[in-house]
Amino acid sequence: MTKATPPTGTPVIELRNVSKTFGEVRSLSNVDFAVYPGEIVGLLGDNGAGKSTLVKTVMGFHSPDPGGEIWFGGNRIDDWSVARARDLGIETIYQERALCEKQPIWRNMFMGREPRSKWGLLDVAKMRSESARLMSDHMGFTSAAVHPDNVVATMSGGEKQGVAITRALYFDANLVILDEPTVGLSLTETKKTLDFVGGIKKAGKSAIFIDHNIFHVYPVVDRLYVLDRGKVAGIYDKSEISMDELIERLYHVARTGSLD
Amino acid sequence: MTAKTKTSKATPQKPKDNRVGPPSFWRRYVSQIGIVGVGLIMWLAFVIAAPEVFTNKNIYLAFAQTTPQFGIIAIALTFVVITGEMDLSFPSIMALGTAVFCLLAQGGLAWPLALVAAFGTGAICGWINGTLVAFLNIPSLVVTIGTSFLFRGLELVMMDGSGVPLTAQDYPEMHALLRSSPFGIPVQTIWMVVILIGAWLLLNRTRFGAHVFLVGDNPTSARLMGINAVSVKTRAFILVGIMATFSGLMTSIYGFYFWPTTGEGFLLNTIASVFLGGTSVFGGTGSVAGSFFASYIIGAINAGVVAAGINAFYTQLAFGLVIVVSVVLQTLIDRRTKRQSLTGR
Ligand SMILES: Nc1ncnc2c1ncn2[C@@H]1O[C@H](COP(=O)(O)OP(=O)(O)OP(=O)(O)O)[C@@H](O)[C@H]1O
Ligand SMILES: [Mg+2]
């Protein structure tokens, strides 16, 4: 197995010896995974390799099987949960987008982190106006379906995705996880999303980027994890592998299940 | 994308007027308009059918005293239905909570303490329902049919099948709180309005309320975004338990007597009020104001059928019809306004 020279410093988030079993299916086995401050980590692997499962474990949606550990900023955390992860500045664009389609955009935008005004009441006015601003400023949406009071169900697939992407960027996270964010997006929207990933690095923050299109992944990442059937099959520093070599190895992994 | 300028530069040619305003008033309030319409039509029908009764203000007073008895439960039940669940056990909680009050007060406990114990009982019943439904993931219809018998059985055992008189001499404060008419307004309806305002704030202006909608709409999405669906559902059931106890007390004080059968006959009209009020059977949408107004319509059907001299058996028929028709209408309206099938398939 090829090992990259690990970046120095304390990882933002780290999984140690994490396995995840669903009944008979072992989606992750003994995975060690770390994201350091200011780096973009790419996650590659076939369909069903366990990428989304890994991401949901990082988010605290899945809890690891006994023996697995989650470390945040150098501390081991036992009661990891999505709410905790988001409080600590981790936001995710899930592959399934995690929207509530019968609800208006403003409810979706602030789902789980609703702003409150004095007396602890919901600041609905702010939720509405911020959603309107975000949708037009960040996504440049001008279609008829995009008003903060419109329900998500009536929006186009790309627009729905825009809500999920904008939502993740609104909270100014330290670590943004993007699970196949560009699937189904137009060329312009794809470019904006990739620019956004680049912007994360410039801002000194971290990201985990999953995309089956290696031409999207390779240019923006610093390090790459290759997952195969729930195992980490390889870790690469971008400096030590060219895109062509990487493609070659991915085919090899798909055929043989190992990188060597 | 991080910089605003980049986006606007990239799309300078996009026309501004392409963006429409908010969804029309009609689309947003279609179910509320529907309820008010149904209510008005029904009232007119009653006025025509029995003018001497429906132009007399006494019937409206009676109506303002009895409707809140199930209306306040309908308001609380709205939360549970929006989370995508149902509670059939509230008639039994009405009786069990009131039984606890009666036994403790009879035993010499001060009435405020007995009241606290009664509400505590209701809350525990709701917690049991909510935990079985949300934590163990058992369908709520099944759970609450079961707990309905459980709570009723417990109450019957505790009371040994006998009732308790609740006279104004023995319980002056309770009668003042639940059976008076300050300024000529029946206190029951004042309570109902107060509860409506509180419930509206809870549903539309708190995080809990926001999560009620989200969990009912798509529990997996809600959980992925860090919402504790189990706790949200459990709290909704607890709310029903507390309001059912309140209703049990109100109903018993109104009749000067606690019957061990308290709550029987409340199931249909309460559920009918929630569905007629525009709360979706599919979860994720609903309104407490809708349940409030619908309760009065259901109350009017009750009073109207009796006053118009129609056989009272017809009220059952009417409630059944209201439930079926409003659920069907909701589905059709929803499909029209959202231009899609409600189930998303
Ligand atoms: N909740 C679950 N219950 C049961 N099995 C699951 C669950 N989630 C994931 N799996 C299984 O775990 C394996 C890995 O799934 P995962 O979604 O992580 O793959 P992935 O790498 O994201 O694939 P893709 O590229 O297709 O998104 C699959 O075999 C999947 O069937
Ligand atoms: Mg995936």
Side-chain angles (χ1 to χ4, degrees):
Chain A
M1 194 156 82
T2 324
K3 274 269 186 250
T5 40
T8 46
T10 314
V12 187
I13 189 92
E14 192 180 0
L15 302 183
R16 291 191 192 167
N17 191 31
V18 163
S19 302
K20 183 67 196 172
T21 324
F22 298 106
E24 296 291 294
V25 184
R26 190 146 213 225
S27 301
L28 295 176
S29 36
N30 308 101
V31 168
D32 291 312
F33 176 83
V35 181
Y36 289 83
E39 72 165 350
I40 312 289
V41 172
L43 205 50
L44 295 170
D46 260 353
N47 293 123
K51 304 179 296 295
S52 298
T53 308
L54 188 149
V55 153
K56 286 180 190 165
T57 311
V58 166
M59 273 314 275
F61 182 77
H62 294 318
S63 51
D65 294 347
E69 298 175 3
I70 295 176
W71 292 67
F72 178 86
N75 301 307
R76 180 166 174 201
I77 307 209
D78 289 318
D79 52 342
W80 196 237
S81 68
V82 181
R84 182 104 190 251
R86 294 188 73 197
D87 272 346
L88 292 170
I90 309 178
E91 291 292 337
T92 297
I93 299 155
Y94 291 101
Q95 187 170 9
E96 56 270 63
R97 306 306 168 224
L99 297 170
C100 287
E101 301 225 336
K102 286 181 230 163
Q103 308 305 316
I105 293 170
W106 60 268
R107 272 197 201 282
N108 276 282
M109 204 62 113
F110 292 94
M111 185 165 163
R113 290 192 77 178
E114 297 83 1
R116 285 182 289 192
S117 58
K118 44 185 183 291
W119 310 317
L121 294 184
L122 275 198
D123 197 344
V124 173
K126 180 181 175 187
M127 289 162 80
R128 282 214 174 89
S129 63
E130 284 289 273
S131 305
R133 184 181 68 75
L134 290 167
M135 292 315 284
S136 62
D137 287 2
H138 285 277
M139 298 311 292
F141 279 166
T142 49
S143 121
V146 186
H147 181 280
D149 278 326
N150 280 107
V151 295
V152 169
T154 58
M155 302 174 75
S156 82
E159 287 168 341
K160 286 179 191 173
Q161 211 156 320
V163 175
I165 295 174
T166 311
R167 175 171 69 185
L169 95 206
Y170 175 77
F171 292 102
D172 202 19
N174 287 318
L175 171 62
V176 182
I177 304 173
L178 305 95
D179 194 348
E180 304 195 20
T182 61
V183 174
L185 287 188
S186 71
L187 271 177
T188 354
E189 296 301 327
T190 301
K191 181 171 182 319
K192 279 199 276 181
T193 306
L194 295 175
D195 286 347
F196 166 59
V197 179
I200 295 174
K201 185 167 173 60
K202 280 201 202 82
K205 297 175 175 168
S206 319
I208 301 172
F209 186 35
I210 302 174
D211 200 316
H212 284 292
N213 188 336
I214 195 137
F215 300 101
H216 288 164
V217 180
Y218 189 83
V220 292
V221 300
D222 300 307
R223 274 194 316 140
L224 280 156
Y225 278 76
V226 177
L227 277 189
D228 181 70
R229 279 158 265 191
K231 290 198 177 67
V232 177
I235 308 171
Y236 297 98
D237 219 288
K238 192 160 81 175
S239 56
E240 58 178 36
I241 190 165
S242 73
M243 197 185 314
D244 292 334
E245 278 175 297
L246 185 63
I247 294 172
E248 198 49 49
R249 297 217 181 164
L250 286 172
Y251 278 127
H252 188 75
V253 172
R255 276 198 314 271
T256 65
S258 105
L259 278 170
D260 312 302
Chain B
M1 200 158 73
T2 36
K4 287 182 197 175
T5 46
K6 190 173 256 170
T7 310
S8 41
K9 251 187 238 154
T11 56
Q13 73 283 20
K14 274 188 182 172
K16 273 259 182 299
D17 53 11
N18 194 10
R19 198 172 296 143
V20 292
S24 68
F25 181 82
W26 165 250
R27 190 178 282 185
R28 281 175 79 177
Y29 296 106
V30 61
S31 47
Q32 277 90 337
I33 296 169
I35 307 159
V36 174
V38 169
L40 282 177
I41 291 166
M42 209 136 59
W43 177 71
L44 282 175
F46 286 139
V47 171
I48 292 163
E52 64 296 338
V53 181
F54 279 91
T55 48
N56 183 339
K57 96 174 211 288
N58 284 333
I59 186 156
Y60 297 103
L61 283 180
F63 181 56
Q65 289 176 317
T66 52
T67 299
Q69 293 173 3
F70 64 87
I72 56 177
I73 309 180
I75 290 176
L77 188 63
T78 307
F79 286 76
V80 168
V81 177
I82 297 176
T83 67
E85 304 293 349
M86 180 43 89
D87 187 346
L88 302 177
S89 71
F90 60 83
S92 302
I93 302 180
M94 287 171 69
L96 184 58
T98 312
V100 167
F101 174 84
C102 291
L103 289 179
L104 292 176
Q106 263 187 335
L109 195 69
W111 68 270
L113 295 178
L115 209 54
V116 170
F119 284 125
T121 306
I124 292 170
C125 293
W127 179 83
I128 293 172
N129 283 333
T131 304
L132 293 174
V133 169
F135 190 70
L136 296 179
N137 233 331
I138 313 172
S140 54
L141 284 175
V142 178
V143 165
T144 57
I145 285 177
T147 56
S148 178
F149 284 102
L150 189 76
F151 300 150
R152 176 69 68 186
L154 190 62
E155 177 255 337
L156 290 174
V157 169
M158 277 166 50
M159 299 307 296
D160 202 15
S162 60
V164 176
L166 296 166
T167 59
Q169 294 93 299
D170 290 345
Y171 300 95
E173 300 89 352
M174 292 293 284
H175 276 261
L177 281 173
L178 299 175
R179 207 191 189 283
S180 57
S181 279
F183 313 110
I185 307 166
V187 73
Q188 291 93 335
T189 282
I190 299 178
W191 275 117
M192 178 114 159
V193 171
V194 168
I195 288 168
L196 169 67
I197 295 169
W200 187 90
L201 286 173
L202 190 62
L203 185 60
N204 297 298
R205 288 295 180 274
T206 67
R207 280 195 180 161
F208 165 67
H211 295 175
V212 164
F213 282 112
L214 295 166
V215 165
D217 189 323
N218 188 332
T220 310
S221 294
R223 285 181 50 225
L224 281 168
M225 297 309 286
I227 294 167
N228 186 339
V230 173
S231 140
V232 170
K233 284 189 180 178
T234 305
R235 282 184 278 168
F237 276 99
I238 290 176
L239 196 64
V240 172
I242 292 173
M243 285 305 155
T245 304
F246 190 59
S247 155
L249 291 163
M250 184 185 273
T251 309
S252 304
I253 292 285
Y254 182 72
F256 298 100
Y257 198 85
F258 167 61
W259 297 95
T261 53
T262 295
E264 278 179 11
F266 274 64
L267 191 65
L268 264 186
N269 45 8
T270 309
I271 294 176
S273 302
V274 175
F275 288 145
L276 179 63
T279 297
S280 165
V281 244
F282 303 104
T285 56
S287 120
V288 283
S291 300
F292 175 93
F293 290 116
S295 298
Y296 281 100
I297 292 176
I298 296 288
I301 299 179
N302 215 353
V305 165
V306 176
I310 308 168
N311 188 327
F313 295 141
Y314 282 92
T315 49
Q316 293 255 356
L317 185 87
F319 295 157
L321 212 61
V322 164
I323 295 181
V324 173
V325 170
S326 54
V327 165
V328 169
L329 276 181
Q330 263 173 34
T331 313
L332 295 180
I333 290 172
D334 244 82
R335 278 189 197 162
R336 273 192 91 109
T337 51
K338 289 178 186 157
R339 291 169 291 165
Q340 61 138 30
S341 99
L342 231 188
T343 48
R345 277 169 270 269

